[in-house]
């Protein structure tokens, strides 16, 4: 069986959790006899091998206009991707990222070639143009595609008062007319064009959901989001993430009252400022912390805010940027507690599974995948999202108890077995003896 995977990017470029997931999935599928390849956008075309799998990189257009970006259409990138698809000839195209460079047209073109298609939803960006699934930045959204509601929410994100945003969002034809009034400032015309742009995004997402033969949700809240957007249960499965293959469980772990650690992208949705405010209190003065950030140029404002908070905490907080993965895993293994203070609903995250595998207890916000998984681990706790005082009280209790994680963690071979069963069913092939279909619900 030949499966081609389409993530956001790929190694050796800087990557996120989706790419680590894909690489581990490929490794385990290979053990089940699956031949894998990767098709991923990048800054230029290239062909190479990564861990014994072919990698095809195609150039994502750097200067797409707004209508194309919102519609997730990049014709030049699509043409390159299809050449690679035709050259490698997979039986299954597994899309892990729905972007302009890997949009619904790619799924539709694969189906037209007789290729089975799978779409896995890894992040809130699938249905949320804000990118965080937080309605007006304050409360968790159900992710339902609603043009007026989504338009108003994005306007509010860019500074428009919510009441005015909701009023204008109910008048898309009026806004479309305003967007064409040449005497208006360019910024006003672009804002007025948003309802039309959002309609393009929603149409693209619906096209992708309709075109995929099967859709995989990696946690329960994503499953419910997809059902709420009309995906029928027979085409939808829940297959939770597994711990990456490069993280090995230690034989045992001694109780630790050392430093706490947090890690991830320097972005407001990650909530690292909540952790730093929790530590900025006399009751937590004995706790040292390390913050490992993945930071690009566009993250400068968030980094500056975190650095300002670091100066208040002094030498008991270290901020390390863009460290190699091996260094991050060593630091995680030595930590007393991993803190995940995310504001948005994570689908995992993978770092949570890595910590659990290393027997490091996790303290996380009571949202998304963390709230679904961590109640099954006695040494782990949840805190009320964005509540620095509650985070601090939970952290102090965990730091004092110093309990290691004892329970087993879901692994990637289990994930691969489920996917092998799914691929085999779609292709009309017999499944591997260890394969099992993903479950239809939690």
């Amino acid at each position: 069986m030949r499966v081609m995977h389409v993530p956001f990017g790929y190694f050796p470029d800087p990557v996120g959790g989706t790419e680590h997931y894909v690489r581990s999935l490929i490794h385990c599928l290979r053990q089940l006899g699956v031949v894998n390849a990767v098709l991923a956008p990048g800054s230029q075309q290239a062909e190479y091998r990564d861990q014994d799998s072919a990698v095809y990189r195609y150039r994502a257009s750097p200067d797409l206009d707004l209508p194309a970006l919102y519609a997730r259409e990049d014709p030049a990138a699509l043409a390159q991707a299809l050449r690679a698809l035709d050259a490698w000839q997979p039986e299954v195209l597994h899309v892990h990222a729905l972007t302009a460079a890997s949009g619904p047209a790619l799924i539709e073109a694969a189906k037209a070639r007789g290729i089975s298609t799978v779409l896995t939803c890894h992040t809130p960006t699938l249905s949320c143009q804000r990118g965080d699934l937080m309605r007006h930045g304050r409360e968790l959204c159900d992710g339902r595609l609603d043009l007026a509601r989504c338009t108003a929410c994005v306007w509010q994100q860019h500074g428009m008062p919510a009441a005015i945003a909701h009023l204008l969002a109910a008048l898309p034809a009026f806004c479309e007319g305003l967007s064409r009034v040449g005497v208006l400032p360019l910024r006003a015309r672009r804002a007025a064009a948003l309802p039309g742009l959002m309609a393009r995004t929603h149409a693209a997402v619906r096209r992708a959901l309709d075109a995929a033969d099967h859709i995989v949700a990696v946690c329960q809240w994503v499953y419910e989001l997809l059902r709420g957007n009309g995906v029928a249960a027979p085409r939808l499965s829940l297959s939770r993430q597994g711990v990456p293959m490069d993280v090995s469980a230690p034989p045992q772990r001694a109780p630790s009252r050392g430093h706490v650690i947090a890690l991830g992208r320097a972005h407001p949705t990650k909530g690292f400022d909540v952790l730093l405010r929790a530590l900025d209190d006399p009751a937590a003065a004995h706790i040292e912390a390390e913050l490992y950030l993945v930071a690009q140029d566009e993250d400068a404002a968030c980094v500056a805010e975190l650095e300002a908070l670091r100066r208040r905490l002094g030498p008991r907080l270290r901020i390390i940027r863009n460290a190699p993965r091996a260094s991050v895993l060593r630091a995680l293994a030595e930590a007393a507690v991993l803190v995940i203070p995310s504001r948005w609903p994570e689908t995992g995250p993978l770092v949570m599974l890595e910590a659990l595998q290393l027997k490091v207890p996790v303290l996380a916000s009571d949202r998304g995948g963390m709230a679904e998984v961590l109640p099954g681990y006695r040494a782990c706790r949840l805190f009320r999202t964005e509540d620095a005082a509650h985070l601090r009280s939970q952290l102090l209790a965990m730091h004092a108890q110093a309990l290691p994680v004892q329970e087993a963690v879901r692994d990637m071979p289990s994930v691969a077995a489920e996917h092998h069963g799914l691929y085999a069913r779609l292709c009309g092939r017999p499944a591997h003896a260890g394969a099992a279909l993903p479950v239809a619900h939690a």
Side-chain angles (χ1 to χ4, degrees), residues 407-433:
E407 297 85 355
V409 186
R410 177 170 162 86
D411 58 20
M412 283 304 295
S414 300
V415 178
E418 292 176 353
H419 281 75
H420 189 279
L422 172 60
Y423 300 152
R425 178 166 65 81
L426 292 175
C427 295
R429 293 265 200 105
H432 187 273

Side-chain angles (χ1 to χ4, degrees), residues 321-351:
R321 300 187 208 174
N322 300 326
R325 177 167 171 78
S327 299
V328 174
L329 290 177
R330 281 196 299 271
L332 180 58
E334 295 168 358
V337 178
L338 168 70
V339 181
I340 307 175
S342 296
R343 290 183 168 91
W344 74 345
E346 302 276 2
T347 54
L350 285 180
V351 67

